[in-house]
Amino acid sequence: MLSSGEQHWFIRKVICWRAAASVAWSVLLLPVSTALFVLLSRLSLFHPAQWISDSMSFLCGSYVIFSLVLLCLVVLVISFFNLEYYTVVPSIPCTKIALIGKVLHPQQFIHSLVHCMMGMLVTWCAAVMIGGRYQFLAIPCVAEDHVPGSRQMCLNEFHLFFLLAGAFMGCSYSLFGVVRNMNYVSFQTIQQYKYLRFKGTLPLLIKHSTVQSLYTVRNFCIAYFFLGYIPRAWICATMNLHKDSTLHSLDTIAGLLDFSLIYHLWISGTFLLVTWYITWLLFRIYITEVFCFPVQSSFAEDGNHFLPRVLSCKTPLILKFLALQDLALLSQHSPSRRMEVFSLSQPGGHPHNWIAISGECLSLLIDLTQKLVAYHEAVASNGRMKPHSVGSGKGSSSSENSGTSIAEEPAVWQVQTPRAGGVLKTPGSVFVRSSVAGLRSPLTAPFTPELGSPFGSPAIRRLAGAVDPSSPWYGSVQSPHVMRRGPKLWSSSAGSPPNGSLPGTPSPGPSPPPAERKPSFFSLWLQNRQEQVKNFLARRVPIMYLFHKLPEASSQALFADSQSHIWALEGLSHLVAASYTEDRFGVVQTAFPSILSTMLTLQEAVDKHFKLPHASSKPVRSSGSLEDSTYKTLRFALRASLKTAIYRITTTFGEHLHAVQMTTEHRKRLQQFMEYKE
C-alpha cells in the first residue's frame, strides 16, 4: 500500500488534468448551446428571415457575451462539485429511512444549496437573453404612467417567476442526483473513443433534458400556485416595490395559462439541464478513460506507480479500479505485458510481479466470499434465532443445535473477524444455544422447570435469553468449551449440585454475591419499557414503511463494488489461460490450486445467494433515461464472469486439471464445468 503522502499522486497528475480537459470542452460547447437557445427562444415561424437576422445580431451583443462569462463560471462550479462528489462504488440505502438520511445529509444540503444558486444564475442569464418582459426585476408601474412626476417601481413577476423556477430546477437536479445515484461513475464494458461515446449519448441526453424540464416546470407551476404569494410579498417588502394591479398574478389559473411563459420557461430549463448534463457526461467520459500502468519499473522513484504496487492501494478507489481495468485489458490483448507479469526478478529469480498481482486478485475474491457467507449467516439467523420464544416442545431440536454449534460457530467467527488485529467477539447465538442445551440436557431434566411455566425463576429466563453484560462470560471467548459451563452456571445459581446429583454438602466454592448476578429493578424496568416502545412502534404502519427493507437493496448493496471483482476474475483467468503457452518458468503453477479453490468457493457462495428471495429478480432498465443503472445488475454480471472464468481455465487445461490438488467437493464441482453441465 502506498504511503499517505504518495497516495494522491494519481489525483494530482491524472484525475485533475482529466477533469480540467472535461471543463475545457464544456466551456467550448457553451457558445453552441447558447446560440441554439437564443434561436429557439426568439422563434418566429411567420417571419423566418427576420427571426434569423435578429437572432444573429443579438448574439454579438453585450448581453449574450456577459451571460456567457457567467455561464462559464457556473460550469466551473458544477465541474468542481462533480469532481468532489463522484464515486465508483454507489451508495445504496436499504430502507426508506436510510434514503431520507442520505437526502438530509449536511453535504447533500450544501450540494442542493449551491445548485439552487447556480440554477437562479442560469435562469437569470436566460431571462436576460430572451429579453422583453422577462429582462428586469423592477419595472415602472403601468397604472402610474399617466400621473406626471410619478416614478413608482413595480415588481416584474415574470422575472421573479424565472428566478424561482431556476432555484427549483437546481434543487430538483441535486435531489434526483442523490436518489438516482447520478454521482456514480461506471466503466464501459466495450472500449470506445471519447468522441464516439459523447456522440452516442448526446441524443439521449437532449431527450432526457427536455422531458425532465417539462416535468419540472409542471411541478414548479403547481408549487407556485399554492405558495407563490410568499416570495412575492417578501420581495415587494424588501425592495419597496409595488404590485401592478393591471396584470394577472401568476399564482392564479389565469396567470399560469400563459403559453408563451410556459414555453420560455421550458426552453430555459432544457438549456440549464443540457448544459449541466453535458458537463457531467464529459467528466464521466474523461475520468473513466483507460490508463496504462507499467508492469515493472527500472527507476526507483517510479516504484509506486507500477501495476503490482498500485493494485494494493486502497485509496483513492478510482486508482484501484483503473488498475484492475488495465489488468483485465493487458491479460487479454497484450502478450508483451503478460510476459512481464510472468518474468522473474534479477537478481534472485523470484516472480514478484505475479505474486503481487495474483495475491491482490485472490484477496478481493476471498473478501467477497466472506461477505456473502456472513450475509447468508445473518439471513439464516434472522429467521431462526428467537431467544424469547423457547417452548417446551423444542428440547430435542435445541439440544441438536447445541451439539452442532461447536463445529459451526468458529466458521462464523472467522467470517466476522477483521483481517488484522481484530478482537474476537462471541455471537449471541452461542449463549442461547448453550444455555438452552444446558437446561434441556438429560442430566438436569428432572430438576428443571419449564421456561414458560409460572414456576420458572426470572434468573433462569434471563440465562436462557441473554447474558448479562457485567458477566465475565460476556465479550471475548478464549475457548469453545465455554458452552459446557452453561449447566454449571445455572446449577450454582439455582442451588443444585452439578451433574444432576442429589444435594449433599454445600459447595466449597464461594458463591458470587447476588448484586453481581441480578440486575437492578430500575434497569429491568427500563429494559421492559424499551421493549414495549419498540414493539409498539414496530406495529405502526408509518414506522414499518420507513424501516422496512427494500426488496433488492440489500443484494445490490452487497455487490455494489463487484466491478473490481469482475476485472479481477477476468484478469486472473486470462493470465492463467495464457500461462499454458507463455509461462516459461512455471510461476503460475505455484498458485494454481489456490486460484481454482477460491473461484469454486466463490461460485458456491454466489449460487447460494441467488437462491435467496429477490436476489434473482432482474430489474428492468428504462430505455429513455440517462440514469446509470448498471450497479443494479452487477450481481448478474459477476455470476456470468465467474462462470466464464472457470470455463476459460477448464477448456484451456482440460484433463491436466486432474493433477491439481483440491478437495473432493471442489473436484466434483470442477468436473461439472469440465463436462459443460454448469
Side-chain angles (χ1 to χ4, degrees):
M1 183 175 178
L2 302 181
S3 61
S4 59
E6 297 174 343
Q7 279 184 0
H8 302 289
W9 66 267
F10 192 75
I11 300 295
R12 295 192 307 267
K13 296 183 178 180
V14 179
I15 299 298
C16 288
W17 283 105
R18 290 185 174 186
S22 67
V23 172
W25 278 108
S26 301
V27 171
L28 289 176
L29 291 175
L30 262 180
V32 179
S33 58
T34 304
L36 292 175
F37 169 72
V38 170
L39 287 172
L40 292 176
S41 63
R42 295 171 175 265
L43 182 63
S44 178
L45 298 177
F46 299 103
H47 304 86
Q50 184 179 1
W51 162 50
I52 295 176
S53 61
D54 291 345
S55 300
M56 290 301 176
S57 61
F58 182 76
L59 285 174
C60 301
S62 58
Y63 285 123
V64 176
I65 295 175
F66 182 70
S67 299
L68 278 175
V69 174
L70 293 181
L71 290 174
C72 291
L73 295 178
V74 171
V75 168
L76 288 175
V77 174
I78 298 299
S79 301
F80 173 78
F81 275 86
N82 289 338
L83 180 61
E84 287 295 322
Y85 282 80
Y86 83 96
T87 179
V88 293
V89 178
S91 174
I92 304 174
C94 297
T95 58
K96 295 289 185 181
I97 193 67
L99 179 60
I100 294 174
K102 185 180 176 182
V103 171
L104 299 179
H105 196 274
Q107 287 186 352
Q108 180 58 33
F109 175 76
I110 296 174
H111 190 272
S112 301
L113 181 62
V114 172
H115 279 74
C116 281
M117 298 171 60
M118 296 298 104
M120 291 182 66
L121 189 56
V122 172
T123 50
W124 181 86
C125 295
V128 168
M129 288 187 290
I130 294 173
R133 57 178 180 173
Y134 309 107
Q135 193 165 10
F136 301 106
L137 180 62
I139 57 176
C141 295
V142 179
E144 298 294 335
D145 285 345
H146 64 278
V147 180
S150 175
R151 295 295 298 171
Q152 290 186 356
M153 302 297 290
C154 289
L155 175 67
N156 183 10
E157 196 173 358
F158 295 103
H159 190 89
L160 178 64
F161 192 78
F162 260 67
L163 296 182
L164 294 178
F168 186 83
M169 289 178 182
C171 184
S172 301
Y173 176 87
S174 177
L175 292 180
F176 286 156
V178 68
V179 171
R180 300 172 181 174
N181 278 315
M182 297 296 287
N183 63 332
Y184 168 61
V185 175
S186 64
F187 294 82
Q188 295 294 314
T189 305
I190 301 175
Q191 302 299 321
Q192 288 181 306
Y193 291 108
K194 295 187 289 292
Y195 170 73
L196 295 179
R197 284 187 61 185
F198 179 78
K199 178 184 175 182
T201 315
L202 188 59
L204 181 61
L205 184 147
I206 296 175
K207 177 184 176 182
H208 179 81
S209 300
T210 53
V211 174
Q212 183 177 345
S213 175
L214 188 62
Y215 282 108
T216 307
V217 168
R218 180 203 63 182
N219 298 335
F220 173 72
C221 289
I222 295 174
Y224 193 85
F225 178 78
F226 291 102
L227 304 174
Y229 67 94
I230 298 176
R232 184 181 61 207
W234 181 74
I235 291 293
C236 289
T238 303
M239 303 184 64
N240 195 20
L241 297 175
H242 299 274
K243 183 179 180 301
D244 198 341
S245 58
T246 60
L247 300 176
H248 290 289
S249 298
L250 295 182
D251 57 348
T252 60
I253 296 179
L256 290 176
L257 289 177
D258 189 343
F259 294 103
S260 176
L261 173 65
I262 299 301
Y263 170 76
H264 285 108
L265 188 60
W266 173 58
I267 290 296
S268 302
T270 304
F271 173 65
L272 180 147
L273 292 176
V274 166
T275 303
W276 290 3
Y277 278 134
I278 284 178
T279 305
W280 168 77
L281 175 62
L282 288 172
F283 175 79
R284 286 184 56 190
I285 291 175
Y286 272 90
I287 212 72
T288 57
E289 186 181 2
V290 177
F291 188 85
C292 185
F293 295 90
V295 177
Q296 55 188 1
S297 177
S298 303
F299 303 98
E301 59 270 13
D302 296 334
N304 291 329
H305 299 180
F306 64 98
L307 184 62
R309 194 69 176 272
V310 168
L311 283 174
S312 62
C313 181
K314 305 301 179 183
T315 55
L317 283 177
I318 184 67
L319 173 60
K320 190 177 186 66
F321 273 62
L322 286 174
L324 287 169
Q325 184 187 36
D326 183 46
L327 173 64
L329 292 177
L330 80 87
S331 64
Q332 300 178 48
H333 308 296
S334 181
S336 60
R337 299 181 70 195
R338 286 199 301 263
M339 293 302 297
E340 294 182 4
V341 174
F342 300 144
S343 64
L344 302 178
S345 63
Q346 297 297 332
H350 299 288
H352 294 305
N353 295 334
W354 166 250
I355 291 175
I357 291 174
S358 62
E360 185 59 32
C361 293
L362 289 177
S363 176
L364 286 173
L365 301 181
I366 291 172
D367 287 345
L368 179 60
T369 306
Q370 292 180 353
K371 284 169 56 178
L372 290 174
V373 172
Y375 180 79
H376 300 157
E377 290 290 337
V379 170
S381 63
N382 287 338
R384 182 181 68 244
M385 193 171 62
K386 297 181 182 296
H388 297 287
S389 61
V390 181
S392 58
K394 298 182 181 179
S396 61
S397 62
S398 61
S399 61
E400 290 173 3
N401 288 340
S402 63
T404 58
S405 61
I406 296 178
E408 292 174 357
E409 290 297 328
V412 180
W413 298 345
Q414 184 179 4
V415 171
Q416 296 177 349
T417 303
R419 274 186 170 185
V423 180
L424 193 62
K425 295 294 183 182
T426 306
S429 59
V430 173
F431 297 104
V432 176
R433 296 171 182 173
S434 61
S435 58
V436 174
L439 291 173
R440 296 298 177 201
S441 61
L443 297 178
T444 58
F447 308 100
T448 304
E450 296 293 331
L451 291 179
S453 67
F455 302 100
S457 65
I460 297 176
R461 297 192 188 99
R462 287 195 303 272
L463 184 60
V467 177
D468 188 8
S470 61
S471 172
W473 307 109
Y474 181 82
S476 60
V477 176
Q478 290 79 13
S479 172
H481 299 289
V482 68
M483 302 177 63
R484 301 178 183 176
R485 303 181 184 179
K488 287 188 177 183
L489 291 175
W490 173 81
S491 59
S492 62
S493 62
S496 62
N499 299 329
S501 60
L502 295 176
T505 58
S507 177
S511 61
E516 296 180 359
R517 292 182 289 107
K518 284 188 175 182
S520 63
F521 173 78
F522 177 75
S523 62
L524 287 176
W525 178 83
L526 184 61
Q527 184 178 4
N528 291 334
R529 287 291 178 266
Q530 289 178 353
E531 291 295 329
Q532 290 177 3
V533 171
K534 187 186 299 183
N535 294 333
F536 174 78
L537 293 178
R539 290 192 295 268
R540 305 280 79 81
V541 176
I543 303 299
M544 292 176 60
Y545 174 77
L546 291 176
F547 286 90
H548 181 69
K549 283 189 175 295
L550 300 175
E552 299 179 4
S554 300
S555 183
Q556 292 174 7
L558 190 63
F559 292 91
D561 58 343
S562 291
Q563 184 61 64
S564 60
H565 304 102
I566 292 173
W567 283 329
L569 284 169
E570 291 180 356
L572 205 57
S573 62
H574 277 288
L575 287 175
V576 171
S579 69
Y580 188 76
T581 56
E582 298 178 7
D583 185 12
R584 297 178 299 171
F585 305 105
V587 298
V588 176
Q589 306 306 317
T590 58
F592 201 25
S594 60
I595 291 173
L596 279 177
S597 300
T598 302
M599 289 186 178
L600 292 173
T601 305
L602 180 59
Q603 172 72 21
E604 182 180 358
V606 170
D607 288 344
K608 186 177 180 181
H609 178 80
F610 273 89
K611 295 178 182 179
L612 298 176
H614 303 292
S616 59
S617 56
K618 197 168 186 177
V620 180
R621 183 179 181 272
S622 56
S623 58
S625 177
L626 197 62
E627 174 187 357
D628 191 356
S629 58
T630 54
Y631 65 90
K632 297 181 181 179
T633 57
L634 276 177
R635 61 185 185 273
F636 302 98
L638 175 72
R639 181 176 62 173
S641 298
L642 181 56
K643 285 188 177 181
T644 304
I646 299 177
Y647 272 122
R648 185 177 294 118
I649 295 175
T650 55
T651 54
T652 302
F653 287 88
E655 298 298 328
H656 297 287
L657 294 176
H658 293 299
V660 180
Q661 295 181 356
M662 62 182 67
T663 62
T664 306
E665 184 65 28
H666 286 169
R667 191 170 298 280
K668 291 180 180 179
R669 183 173 286 269
L670 186 63
Q671 187 66 30
Q672 297 291 325
F673 281 95
M674 296 178 66
E675 296 175 358
Y676 299 96
K677 294 182 179 180
E678 275 289 339

